[in-house]
């Protein structure tokens, strides 16, 4: 992950990240080659919809962060999700297999995701995080699981004392 802050008002910061986790090239040969993370960390790295994980996957993402006011940041992230091996499964953030195509003809493009969210802090003890995620299925998801786009909004509050 790399980020570059541009010296302009709102302190824009651009980021580019590429994540890779091996997959199993032949699910029938009794040799498991799929990366299995010890401590998966959901949406922090692979989008907020939690429909992609660091397991048989590639995630090319880019992001923009703006400081709208002191303590108020706006973020826009884009993720392009692909499988490493088309015959291995697509896994979600809980490491659950969502779909598999043993023939590999469904391709490797799982989906694209756009996340827009805001983070702010009040008096250093109350942290608010709210946003919106949009999941757009690719050829693999359309062929094996669902052709429907998924959209949701979220809100989180944390009180530190």
């Amino acid at each position: 992950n790399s980020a570059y802050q541009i010296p302009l008002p709102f302190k824009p910061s651009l980021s580019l990240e590429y994540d890779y986790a091996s997959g199993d090239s032949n699910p029938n040969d009794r040799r498991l080659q799929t990366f299995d993370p010890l401590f998966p960390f959901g949406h922090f790295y692979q989008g907020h919809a939690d429909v992609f994980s660091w397991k048989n996957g590639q995630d090319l993402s880019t992001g923009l962060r703006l400081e709208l006011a002191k303590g108020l940041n706006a973020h826009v992230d884009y993720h392009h999700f692909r499988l490493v091996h088309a015959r291995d499964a697509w896994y979600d953030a809980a490491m659950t297999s969502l779909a598999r195509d043993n023939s590999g003809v469904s391709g490797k493009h799982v989906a694209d995701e756009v996340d827009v969210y805001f983070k702010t802090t009040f008096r250093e003890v109350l942290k608010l995080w709210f946003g919106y995620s949009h999941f757009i299925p690719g050829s693999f998801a359309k062929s094996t699981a669902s052709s429907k786009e998924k959209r949701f909004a979220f809100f989180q509050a944390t009180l530190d004392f």
Side-chain angles (χ1 to χ4, degrees):
N1 181 359
S2 62
Y4 176 72
Q5 185 172 340
I6 303 166
L8 293 171
F10 301 114
K11 299 179 183 174
S13 176
L14 298 172
S15 65
L16 181 64
E17 182 174 337
Y18 175 72
D19 295 313
Y20 177 94
S22 65
D24 196 344
S25 60
N26 183 356
N28 301 318
D29 68 1
R30 304 186 82 198
R31 279 186 44 219
L32 183 61
Q33 298 168 313
T34 305
F35 181 71
D36 196 7
L38 288 174
F39 304 104
F41 190 51
H43 58 258
F44 186 76
Y45 297 108
Q46 278 84 35
H48 298 301
D50 289 342
V51 293
F52 199 78
S53 69
W54 205 27
K55 194 169 182 162
N56 186 39
Q58 301 176 73
D59 175 13
L60 177 62
S61 64
T62 186
L64 171 66
R65 179 184 158 277
L66 300 172
E67 187 176 298
L68 301 179
K70 184 175 166 102
L72 175 61
N73 295 313
H75 302 254
V76 178
D77 297 334
Y78 166 78
H79 295 269
H80 179 73
F81 299 127
R82 296 185 65 80
L83 299 177
V84 173
H85 292 288
R87 293 174 59 197
D88 196 354
W90 161 27
Y91 299 91
D92 67 7
M95 303 295 129
T96 304
S97 171
L98 294 177
R100 178 186 299 267
D101 178 2
N102 289 330
S103 69
V105 298
S106 296
K108 294 182 179 181
H109 179 211
V110 175
D112 296 289
E113 182 178 323
V114 177
D115 300 314
V116 178
Y117 56 100
F118 299 86
K119 290 185 173 184
T120 190
T121 303
F122 293 103
R123 299 187 188 231
E124 298 182 22
V125 296
L126 179 62
K127 296 176 182 165
L128 302 177
W129 179 17
F130 52 96
Y132 171 80
S133 292
H134 186 162
F135 174 83
I136 306 151
S139 61
F140 184 86
K142 287 178 181 176
S143 297
T144 61
S146 170
S147 62
K148 294 182 181 176
E149 295 184 10
K150 295 172 180 32
R151 300 172 189 92
F152 75 95
F154 58 90
F155 174 79
Q156 175 180 317
T158 305
L159 181 61
D160 295 335
F161 54 93

